[in-house]
Amino acid sequence: MKNPVPDPSLACRIAGPARGAADAATAASRRRPPHRPLGAAMGAAIGAAIAVALLSLACSPLPSRDSGGAALPESDFRPPSLLEAGPSDGRTFSILFDEAIQPVAGSFGLEPAAGELSASAEGSMLRLDFSEEALPGLDYCLAGEVEDGSGNRCRFVLSFTGYNSRPALLSISEIQPQKNSSTKAPHRDYAEFLVLEAGNLGGLELSWASSTKLMVYRFPAAEVLAGDFVVLHLAPEGLASEVDETGGDLAVSGGIDATATARDFWSGAGGLPDESGALSLRTRPGGPSQDALFYGADDKSGAVADGKLADLLSAVGGEGAWVFAGKAAWEDAFRWHPSAARSIYRIGGADTQGAADWLVSEASGQTPGAPN
Ligand SMILES: [Ca+2]
Ligand SMILES: [Ca+2]
């Protein structure tokens, strides 16, 4: 096979319903009718599963009544199974099956569209080409059908994230973990990032966790330059002025902690843990780590209990994005005396993946969207 198997780290996330549909599709019966619009295709995939379930009840080979062997001749009734899928770049999506396949003409659809869609196969690899670049970080849904040499068809429905071929490199530069209700200088939860290398933000994924809850945010597409500040606001108040700044104007957004010097984004996924937690920034879902921060209240000690936080720390530590002496312990964290009046910020230029890179600000010393 000349085409490479897609890098598992780039593999699309097969969402719950889509995964179910894809699984159902692997059982789709032969001689299915050809092309339908994508929406109909999704419904049909589920319908196909029901139909196949009935078909299998009706068509199961009967056991032989004598000892002379099988009652039916050997035949290939098994449809191709999907093994791996993912975007290789912004214009290509590859799907590996467990046997040689051919695309079913007219069966393919992508929503939202990225220009014309064309399908080709080489052995067990299906390749889908888009005539226009998929938007980095945008959610896409892809549907289609393939068939094996015996005419057994597999219908699939997959979701994936638009591939970012020029991801920006960011470092976490400051966090405000608590709500500060001061009337003079109010602050809400935010995470601030400094752009180290220019590129596009689309698909960069920030995860943050307390011991009981994991939250995730994925950036939309936006071009950034080295030295830019990006602020992700994590406790929006629902104001109409709280808008994502994906274009050229950095003064579009209002709201608490928004500035005209930084690119502001807003997420309702959940606030930062007030006293103890961790953040992990990745280039794309399941992709390489860009930065991490583990912070903990100064009255904590010993091993971090099993849970969401321990899971995140394990992943971060495994990639060297934060240094641990052994199994994650509170002594590995940047330790602070929690305060709503102070932020936690990175010392300029420091990046040793550990607590020594961080400090607590003076009271009312927060600097969202500006140097610390
Ligand atoms: Ca701004
Ligand atoms: Ca700052």
Side-chain angles (χ1 to χ4, degrees):
M1 186 188 316
K2 290 176 184 175
N3 285 343
V5 174
D7 181 344
S9 70
L10 308 184
C12 75
R13 293 194 302 182
I14 301 174
R19 175 61 180 267
D23 289 346
T26 60
S29 65
R30 59 190 306 188
R31 312 295 182 214
R32 292 207 54 76
H35 172 66
R36 293 177 207 183
L38 185 54
M42 291 180 207
I46 297 166
I50 298 168
V52 168
L54 294 172
L55 190 68
S56 64
L57 287 174
C59 299
S60 296
L62 294 171
S64 175
R65 290 188 177 183
D66 57 40
S67 57
L72 295 174
E74 280 189 26
S75 296
D76 176 9
F77 295 115
R78 196 181 63 79
S81 288
L82 190 156
L83 298 180
E84 284 183 36
S88 317
D89 56 43
R91 291 174 179 260
T92 312
F93 191 96
S94 301
I95 306 176
L96 179 66
F97 291 89
D98 67 344
E99 61 178 320
I101 48 88
Q102 285 296 322
V104 174
S107 70
F108 297 94
L110 179 69
E111 282 186 2
E116 296 295 315
L117 186 60
S118 58
S120 58
E122 183 172 331
S124 55
M125 182 73 79
L126 176 71
R127 176 183 162 125
L128 295 153
D129 289 294
F130 319 139
S131 66
E132 296 174 9
E133 190 98 358
L135 200 60
L138 193 64
D139 289 327
Y140 286 89
C141 195
L142 176 69
E145 286 183 25
V146 297
E147 65 180 10
D148 66 15
S150 302
N152 300 306
R153 290 191 177 183
C154 167
R155 174 171 294 188
F156 59 85
V157 182
L158 301 171
S159 63
F160 70 97
T161 302
Y163 188 80
N164 185 346
S165 55
R166 293 184 308 103
L169 177 65
L170 274 53
S171 68
I172 302 167
S173 52
E174 185 183 5
I175 64 165
Q176 169 72 21
Q178 297 187 22
K179 175 179 179 177
N180 182 335
S181 299
S182 156
T183 50
K184 194 175 173 185
H187 294 286
R188 301 289 183 268
D189 302 35
Y190 66 78
E192 178 198 75
F193 307 87
L194 177 63
V195 178
L196 302 179
E197 292 177 14
N200 198 292
L201 292 179
L204 265 69
E205 187 179 76
L206 182 74
S207 307
W208 61 105
S210 66
S211 58
T212 57
K213 194 175 176 191
L214 175 69
M215 291 148 281
V216 177
Y217 172 80
R218 200 185 325 139
F219 281 97
E223 291 290 326
V224 291
L225 298 173
D228 286 356
F229 281 105
V230 174
V231 178
L232 177 61
H233 304 272
L234 297 171
E237 300 186 300
L239 306 175
S241 60
E242 295 169 337
V243 295
D244 289 343
E245 294 175 332
T246 55
D249 186 353
L250 299 188
V252 171
S253 186
I256 292 178
D257 297 319
T259 67
T261 55
R263 194 173 283 282
D264 295 289
F265 294 93
W266 303 84
S267 169
L272 294 171
D274 281 356
E275 301 188 352
S276 306
L279 300 85
S280 166
L281 180 68
R282 291 180 182 281
T283 297
R284 55 180 62 87
S289 177
Q290 293 201 349
D291 201 6
L293 167 60
F294 173 30
Y295 63 100
D298 52 7
D299 61 352
K300 288 185 175 292
S301 62
V304 177
D306 288 347
K308 302 291 186 188
L309 179 58
D311 291 345
L312 187 107
L313 294 175
S314 175
V316 160
E319 293 176 84
W322 191 268
V323 175
F324 296 91
K327 186 179 185 300
W330 290 107
E331 286 78 4
D332 297 312
F334 171 71
R335 310 182 84 191
W336 73 314
H337 194 65
S339 164
R342 300 165 191 270
S343 68
I344 297 172
Y345 69 93
R346 185 189 290 274
I347 300 165
D351 193 6
T352 62
Q353 289 84 44
D357 297 345
W358 295 86
L359 287 175
V360 179
S361 79
E362 298 296 319
S364 299
Q366 295 92 338
T367 59
N372 300 324

